[in-house]
Amino acid sequence: MLKGQNGCATKPINLAKIATDYAAQTKKLARRVVICAGTGCVANGSLKVYRAFVEGIAKAGLPVVTELTGKQGTLVDGILVSRSGCQGFCQMGPLVTVEPDGILYTRVKEKDVAEIIEQTLKRNEVIDRLLFVNPADGKHCHGQNDIPFYTRQHRMVLKACGNVDPEDINEYIRNSGYAAAEKAYVKMTAQSVCEEITFAALRGRGGGGFPTGKKWELTRIQPGEKKYVICNGDEGDPGAFMDRSVMEGNPHSVIEGMMIAALAIGADEGYVYVRAEYPLAVKRIRKAVVEAERLGLLGDDIFDSGKNFRLHVMEGAGAFVCGEETALMASIEGKRGTPRPKPPFPAQSGLWGKPTVINNVETLATVPLIINMGAAEFRRLGTKGSPGTKTFALTGHVANTGLIEVPFGATLREIIFEIGGGIIDDAGKPFPGGFKAVQIGGPSGGCLIEEHLDLPLDFDSLRGVGAMVGSGGLVVMNKNTCMVKMARFFMQFTQNESCGKCVLCREGTKQMLALLDDIIAGEATEETISLLREVALAVQKGSLCGLGKTAPNPVLSTLRNFRAEVEAHIVQKRCPAGQCKALVMPEIIAEKCKGCTACVKKCPVGAISGEVKKPHRIDPEKCIKCGACAQVCKFGAVVGV
Amino acid sequence: MNAKTTLTIDNREVRIEGEKNLLELARKAGIDIPTFCYHSSLSVYGACRLCLVDIEGRGIVTSCSTKPEPGMKIRTHTEEIRGMRKIAVELLLASHEQNCPTCAKNTTCELQKLARKLGVGEVRFKPTLRPQPLDRTSASLVRNPNKCILCGDCVRACAEIQGIGAIDFAGRGANSCVVPAFGKNLDEVECVNCGLCASVCPTGALTPKSEIEAVWKDLDNPEKTVVVQIAPAVRVALGEAFGLEPGKIETGRIVAGLKALGFDQVYDTCFAADLTVLEEATEFIARKTVGEKLPQFTSCCPAWVKYAEQFYPGLLPNLSSCRSPQQMFGSLAKKILPEKLGVKRENLSIVSVMPCTAKKFEAKLDKFRRDGMPDVDHVLTTQEAARMFEEAGIRFRDLAPQSMDMPLGFKTGAGVIFGASGGVTEAALRYAVEKIKGVELDAVDFHEVRGEAGLREAEYNLDGLQIKVAIVHGLANAKKLAEAAARGECAYDFIEVMACPGGCVAGAGQPVSKEPTTRAERTAALYEADKMLQLHKSQDNHLVAECYQKHLGEIGGHKSHELLHTSYRSRRRICGESLSLLDGAQGEKLKVSVCVGTSCFVRGSQKILEALVKHVQENSLENLVDVQATFCFERCGDGPNVRVGETVIGKCDITTAIKAVEEKLAAAKS
Amino acid sequence: MTAATENQTRFRHFAKVCEILSKHDHMPSKLIPILQEVQEEYRYLPQEVLTFVATSLDIPPAQVYGVATFYAHFTLKPKGKYVIRLCDGTACHVRGSNGIHQALLKRLNLTETCNTTPDMLFTVETVSCLGACGLAPVIVINEDVHGQMTPESALKLVDDIFLQENVN
Ligand SMILES: Cc1cc2nc3c(=O)[nH]c(=O)nc-3n(C[C@H](O)[C@H](O)[C@H](O)COP(=O)(O)O)c2cc1C
Ligand code: SF4
Ligand code: SF4
Ligand code: FES
Ligand code: FES
């Protein structure tokens, strides 16, 4: 049967054939050079590296392949140069993988390409200089298999990111892509899909951890012809970029997840709402949708099931709050992205008043995996309450930053010290014993401290200690970080991003920020803490949406875990981390002072006095904390600025 | 009670009887849950967070957005909730201009009331207000952004009830504000001055513009003779300002109070309403007889008139050409009183007491001035009149009723019911039916046109003449009929439009009442007043008849047209709406505008625009011609429309447009 | 620019706006993509154009203004030719984005509120997280992402632009 319309797909789609054709076509490929084209690596010049490979290989007289057209019969032969999504280890980018050898070159520059072609591609030699060196033992790591950053992870959702070419649907299909969708559409019913996902106990990765199967089932049983599926790709938590990587690196997995969700609830239309700051993700998702439509995976009568599903891609316009589901729907409807009270929940009355399922990118990307491996198998991973894996964006003061994926139940210690390679100082040098805290879940999360390092991470355990998985940002902080300033930073963020609709959030964040500013400026009194706590609790309990309800978390967790540090600011007017400028007080250490008088001359307000060759002192009344003395002192005798 | 239909609030069992939300249910049970952003006739917004209640097992939720469910156990004032409400009010106060004693809403402000009720003893937060300038440009309203608590009531009222959306939220987070488009002034946008926003605003952010000082000035001026007219709806509401029940007819005390203030004569707008009935019904009968310009829309609501001028210029011929009773009164009074009272026209000051803010705007229109003097000099709202009584120390309750001055104080019940939605129609019917049938009516009440529904209709067969009337209130309801009429698909002959829901009794100039029953009580009182009067039909008003004899001549005649009728013009909705596409030298240029509104666009107006721009450029006419894209001339049926100079060319094409431009240029040259 | 080419540009812009509106079937629900595309055309959202869009979609101008001022990506003021967006997300903040911001403002003689140079060459803004935290601190100049910045390397980028602009 031939679907005539604008040269559309031949039906039925034969995924197996596409895969075998593709495999047959590519079997003669000698080698494959995969250049990471995730945002991080692109920023570091990976596209130049890509071009250098294409040109260089051709110049070296080797056959180079850049595109697999997937047309039948054509046998491609040579070295395939392809681009992948983010491979996770952005900090070491641009990353270049040579397959099938499994060599991973890091920090590859354009000028290194000729050498790689010459030595590795032609002579099968590994270039040590470009390998990752394990800082722990100084050994060169050959590839993902021996780099601790990777070996400690369990990459499932992210597995294909960094392997497959995100712009080539055939590659996705070759790696059993769309098999889960086929299984669902051909062999399963809406109800059985819901049951399977419920049995898998999959929980939403968008922050709340709501059981996905239950959400689908609730939507499925709603009456009404018209329903929607929305993929929430508005990832706005500062410090998180997991969803971006999935959309950039494996867009088809998201589409496949949405197809399955659509079948499960009976929707025929869907939206992918992507944050505007992610142009590459938008581009790749758009392209993937077109490709899927071309093959008839999206459109009418999918897999001859009689079911239709159409997908639109919408770009956000810069509002964090649009990650909140009701705000996101308002935004799709062309309105100001302000949340509305729930109930009614989206499952009852969502987009344009129709029952709607809204899921996070990662949640949806996990769905095909579950359908393929089976719910029982899936539940073996992770913890009982939170099966499966979770991606985290590991950033801050750790040696290895990047995107990681671990099963639920992994501990912070494993993540920070084994995968992350430990704490670093502000200059990037190892800082043993420098761990102070880790902020989990972004500005809506909380900070965890030393005593939480061995807590198995999952939705429930984190909630138990007043934090949350959130979107999965993990920002590690070393001992030089002032927690009051950190709390202020997060409060500034939520205050900026508050939609302004509800009183407690709009005005409450403003006042919490002002109170934190007082503390930092040394103007706080004993009452400040109790007032801060009082507002924080009211905002937490009384706000309209999740943004307001979680905005006080950083404040509350700082008050809980770092009470002494906060009090030091207020009572002793001292910032233990030495970060709050208004609270520093330069002091001359008598033992170190040689009495050279250099500082006396430099001080703009004449606050320093003392006899020549005798220890000097600073008059705290006069001092304006400019730090000029500390700069000029050759003996390091001035401290505290 | 049956547990399946009840829930408990504060340990009391309450039956669920179809209440929309817990808030209404609690109110029924006698518990007033505080709110800023809930309004029973508007959509639920859920932003003020004051209406929080605790539901066992569910935690703290907003009662305005929660449906009652059987078996719920609700507590409305736990320690936690009281604390949170206090914090919310305290937070609002910190970002609010705190000068209550001098605020227009002092003692009626909800924020002030709640701060007191909830026992907010101090504001512990730093003030965060960044003062913004006030907008006093509107003739009817004052907007003080420094008092806005962003509850959005006004936004929803304007959009949902009036279908206008003249003001909306802008900005985000701490920068959120409620403003007209682009932060313009109210007088530059499509606001129709109905004042609904001010009547729902809980604070002093939107208030009717006061003319009290100007009135005092005239009263204090010994040269001036100051007369006052009072509108029908005023008499059933003014007492509320002095704690009297809504729906008490207070005409006598109001007259006495106004006299005590120093007004020389106190007259009744109902007299003019009787005039309106005769003129408008006559106009209608004429139109109906020849079957043109139907449906006829009423024109006594100035908010509706401005709305029509802005959004339906094509329907302006369908509006009755009658002035509103206020303006009929003004022009007539300025005509006859100088002689009667022995004053110079310029020393006669006419003040009206109106339930309405739009009347302030209306009175200031140029078309209602004669010899440089306005027909109505000042318009006070009911609230302002009450305030003047207070200022003068008049103990309203203790006043001995007095009666109106004659002749302009004499009225029939038909004039009185003008104050309620449906009243104009009923009054007109009392005249028209008699007129058409030629026999006296035995029953004057037309109950089918009364009521609360947003759209009501009735049909009459008058000796074979079929007449279909409709009554709408709230401009969003009017919009539906106007749309249909503009498409030529409207089956009605006569349509009464009042912008305010309920009509003038619930106008924005009336004392604001939070009681849902007030409107109905005031309306009932008006019909009661009708009953109490001897006469119920405008044609029976002998003083009106005398007035025709002496001054106006025939009903609908030449003289009455001059004094009692008016004309309309199409109006821009928003300043600066055209998009200039050509820029040559400054100075006098021929303005050519091409409508690119949807329907003209579909009919190819863009091609015309393109061709015109090309023509101008090729012939180097930039210094002579200014080509603009505009929309919409509201003649969509005739599209594409092009305006060259002052002429609008319908069904235009490229050749016609260029020819017209060339002709105008040639004419200008010679 | 001469008056004639200026007029042509205006007309081309306008034709484009009409095209955008038709492409979205004059649907009010498409307001956000419409504004995005209009902004791409004009590089900001001129007031008259917004009024035009509102009327064409048959929605109140105040609503369009409300939407345009809600989202950070829309700008009602023209921006510079080079928009430098500095990430101030958590990771970048922790790694010292503020210093870079200050350095840029100082170099270009701007402040946080007055953030476009008078010659319309540069606009400096901060954004919350560009999602390239692995490379913190990050700045984006128009579409190009630059990672692991220092105040010095950021200023170098600005200087390069100056050079390039002067050559042209
Ligand atoms: C302020 C705020 C921001 C949010 N941002 C996101 C986001 O960027 N991505 C996301 O998937 N969910 C976000 N959420 C959660 C969503 O509202 C919603 O719960 C989620 O998309 C549901 O998907 P899940 O069940 O798959 O987690 C946010 C919630 C709030 C309150
Ligand atoms: S006066 Fe009426 S039209 Fe004007 S803004 Fe208020 S509600 Fe809207
Ligand atoms: S003006 Fe009044 S009604 Fe409107 S949002 Fe402000 S406080 Fe509320
Ligand atoms: S972008 Fe290349 S590893 Fe993240
Ligand atoms: S009345 Fe419920 S939130 Fe305002």
Side-chain angles (χ1 to χ4, degrees), chain B residues 49-120:
Chain B
R49 319 309 289 169
L50 282 174
C51 68
L52 300 171
V53 296
D54 197 327
I55 305 181
E56 197 177 285
R58 257 214 235 173
I60 293 180
V61 301
T62 42
S63 59
C64 66
S65 66
T66 310
K67 268 208 182 120
E69 282 166 30
M72 279 179 163
K73 286 198 169 56
I74 294 151
R75 285 186 306 155
T76 65
H77 53 264
T78 61
E79 181 185 359
E80 195 177 20
I81 286 174
R82 280 183 286 130
M84 285 162 74
R85 286 183 187 150
K86 265 184 164 168
I87 286 268
V89 170
E90 204 179 329
L91 284 168
L92 280 174
L93 287 171
S95 64
H96 189 88
E97 188 178 65
Q98 290 173 43
N99 52 3
C100 300
T102 55
C103 176
K105 275 275 180 67
N106 188 23
T107 74
T108 51
C109 167
E110 290 296 316
L111 181 59
Q112 200 185 43
K113 276 192 209 160
L114 282 183
R116 182 181 56 77
K117 283 194 200 165
L118 301 177
V120 178

Side-chain angles (χ1 to χ4, degrees), chain B residues 141 158 162 164 166-167 186 191-197:
Chain B
L141 298 162
C158 190
Q162 304 301 42
I164 299 177
I167 42 179
L186 262 184
C191 166
V192 300
N193 304 301
C194 69
L196 189 63
C197 53

Side-chain angles (χ1 to χ4, degrees), chain B residues 175-224:
Chain B
N175 297 321
S176 302
C177 54
V178 168
V179 284
F182 311 107
K184 285 179 185 269
N185 290 326
L186 262 184
D187 72 337
E188 298 172 299
V189 298
E190 65 272 47
C191 166
V192 300
N193 304 301
C194 69
L196 189 63
C197 53
S199 72
V200 295
C201 179
T203 70
L206 278 164
T207 48
K209 193 176 202 173
S210 166
E211 294 181 45
I212 293 178
E213 285 315 311
V215 172
W216 277 129
K217 211 168 152 210
D218 278 2
L219 287 173
D220 292 340
N221 184 344
E223 303 275 290
K224 295 243 171 181

Side-chain angles (χ1 to χ4, degrees), chain A residues 19-162:
Chain A
T20 40
D21 283 354
Y22 187 83
Q25 262 178 302
T26 51
K27 71 171 184 261
K28 292 204 76 177
L29 284 179
R31 265 210 174 89
R32 174 165 186 168
V33 182
V34 185
I35 295 111
C36 176
T39 302
C41 288
V42 169
N44 272 333
S46 74
L47 292 183
K48 283 192 203 135
V49 173
Y50 170 80
R51 260 174 262 123
F53 267 110
V54 175
E55 284 158 20
I57 296 174
K59 230 195 253 157
L62 299 172
V64 52
V65 184
T66 54
E67 220 173 319
L68 295 165
T69 51
K71 267 201 206 88
Q72 252 178 315
T74 49
L75 204 63
V76 283
D77 191 358
I79 299 171
L80 175 68
V81 184
S82 73
R83 285 165 292 194
S84 75
C86 172
Q87 305 186 2
F89 209 11
C90 313
Q91 189 195 17
M92 300 307 292
L95 302 181
V96 172
T97 314
V98 182
E99 299 286 6
D101 321 51
I103 305 168
L104 176 65
Y105 289 135
T106 57
R107 298 216 161 118
V108 180
K109 293 271 165 310
E110 233 176 319
K111 62 177 173 26
D112 303 320
V113 171
E115 195 179 337
I116 299 177
I117 296 174
E118 205 46 43
Q119 298 204 17
T120 311
L121 299 186
K122 281 195 171 164
R123 300 210 297 269
N124 298 325
E125 287 167 13
V126 177
I127 308 167
D128 281 357
R129 179 175 73 78
L130 293 172
L131 292 176
F132 176 75
V133 181
N134 186 352
D137 53 13
K139 281 201 185 122
H140 291 287
C141 302
H142 192 78
Q144 288 206 6
N145 293 338
D146 49 1
I147 300 177
F149 178 78
Y150 285 109
T151 51
R152 305 282 173 170
Q153 297 189 42
H154 185 102
R155 288 169 83 90
M156 192 166 90
V157 175
L158 295 177
K159 185 166 173 226
C161 304

Side-chain angles (χ1 to χ4, degrees), chain B residues 632-646:
Chain B
C632 153
F633 299 131
E634 302 291 346
R635 303 191 2 177
C636 308
D638 281 353
N641 288 304
V642 177
R643 184 166 60 206
V644 182
E646 292 301 307

Side-chain angles (χ1 to χ4, degrees), chain B residues 272-283:
Chain B
D274 278 336
L275 276 175
T276 310
V277 171
L278 303 184
E279 291 292 327
E280 191 161 354
T282 306
E283 183 184 21

Side-chain angles (χ1 to χ4, degrees), chain C residues 138-150:
Chain C
V138 178
I139 70 175
V140 180
I141 302 184
N142 292 347
E143 300 287 293
D144 299 330
V145 185
H146 304 268
Q148 294 170 342
M149 285 279 115
T150 62

